[in-house]
Amino acid sequence: MTAPAAHVDVGAYALGLLEEPDRRAFEAHLSSCLPCHEELAALSGVAATLDGIGPIAEAPGGLPEPAPVPELLHRRIRRERRGRTARALVGAAAGLVLLAGALGAGYTAGTDRSPAPARSPGAADGAAALLRDGHRTTASDAGTGASGTVATQGTPWGSRVALQLSKVRGPLECELVAVDGAGRAHTVAGWSVPAKGYGLPGSPQPRLTVQGGAAIKPADIRRFEVRTLGPGGRTLLSVPA
């Protein structure tokens, strides 16, 4: 291991990634390198910040303490190392976030669109409870034939919303929006309707149940609308809040 390589191995050593020969060589380098000593000390705080990861390696026992240096030299070293240490910590945190995303089944990246229709038994139970206990309103549309019930419940972040929709034929792509007093639409949920639809002769299911949320308080919602997506989009159903 060359001296330049030793400097860049601080992060790998701290995470326990160095093989035995490289680890011994780095420890020998560490005993006389103040900058690497300081960077290793800075990285030791990562374990406390990123919960669930084992403790970051510390300087091996028995190594001599670095010799005192003037305060001006300390400041210069800190300035030079701060940028590299910060980038290393950000990279480590980003990798852990990606790992958590891969392990967290049921979550998807890019959630600025509304949640998909509930399919798991737990989510279905949540929608059923909201339709049972939340504030419910029902409406039907003579023109489209669609009918539905919307239930809402206030939360610290806005509103939980559940919808039961029936008498809709597909194939369609639809969304439920909450419309505020200024006429702005806040997307709650999106889904697709199969060709046989819901609640019609030949439909496999009597109704569709979806659950979602909107970043708006129930008191600020004037109505809910079920809209079709794509060219020629229209409102299938309007339900008062």
Side-chain angles (χ1 to χ4, degrees):
M1 176 184 294
T2 64
H7 284 296
V8 301
D9 278 336
V10 179
Y13 177 80
L15 294 173
L17 302 179
L18 292 181
E19 296 182 358
E20 184 63 20
D22 289 335
R23 184 185 64 80
R24 289 196 302 268
F26 177 80
E27 289 177 353
H29 166 82
L30 184 66
S31 65
S32 60
C33 181
L34 174 61
C36 286
H37 240 292
E38 291 194 342
E39 187 165 349
L40 183 61
L43 288 175
S44 66
V46 174
T49 303
L50 304 174
D51 189 23
I53 303 301
I56 300 293
E58 297 180 355
L63 290 179
E65 292 295 326
V69 296
E71 178 60 24
L72 288 177
L73 180 57
H74 272 296
R75 292 177 183 175
R76 180 177 63 81
I77 292 173
R78 284 195 294 267
R79 283 198 303 270
E80 292 175 353
R81 306 300 289 186
R82 188 179 297 120
R84 288 195 294 272
T85 300
R87 287 192 295 271
L89 294 178
V90 169
L96 291 169
V97 168
L98 291 175
L99 177 60
L103 297 176
Y107 293 88
T108 59
T111 54
D112 50 3
R113 294 296 294 175
S114 297
R119 290 185 175 86
S120 68
D125 292 344
L130 183 54
L131 285 160
R132 181 187 67 239
D133 302 329
H135 173 70
R136 292 162 48 97
T137 54
T138 301
S140 60
D141 189 291
T144 64
S147 63
T149 297
V150 175
T152 58
Q153 186 179 73
T155 69
W157 47 262
S159 301
R160 291 179 61 225
V161 183
L163 166 71
Q164 280 190 338
L165 181 67
S166 186
K167 298 182 179 178
V168 175
R169 187 176 299 280
L172 291 173
E173 291 185 357
C174 300
E175 66 176 353
L176 176 67
V177 300
V179 182
D180 63 22
R184 293 173 298 188
H186 305 260
T187 302
V188 175
W191 65 93
S192 61
V193 179
K196 292 184 178 181
Y198 297 96
L200 296 170
S203 297
Q205 299 180 30
R207 65 185 62 86
L208 168 73
T209 301
V210 297
Q211 180 180 357
I216 179 175
K217 295 294 184 180
D220 297 325
I221 302 174
R222 296 295 177 265
R223 67 183 183 278
F224 294 94
E225 293 182 358
V226 177
R227 300 176 176 178
T228 64
L229 300 175
R234 59 196 178 108
T235 299
L236 297 177
L237 180 66
S238 180
V239 182

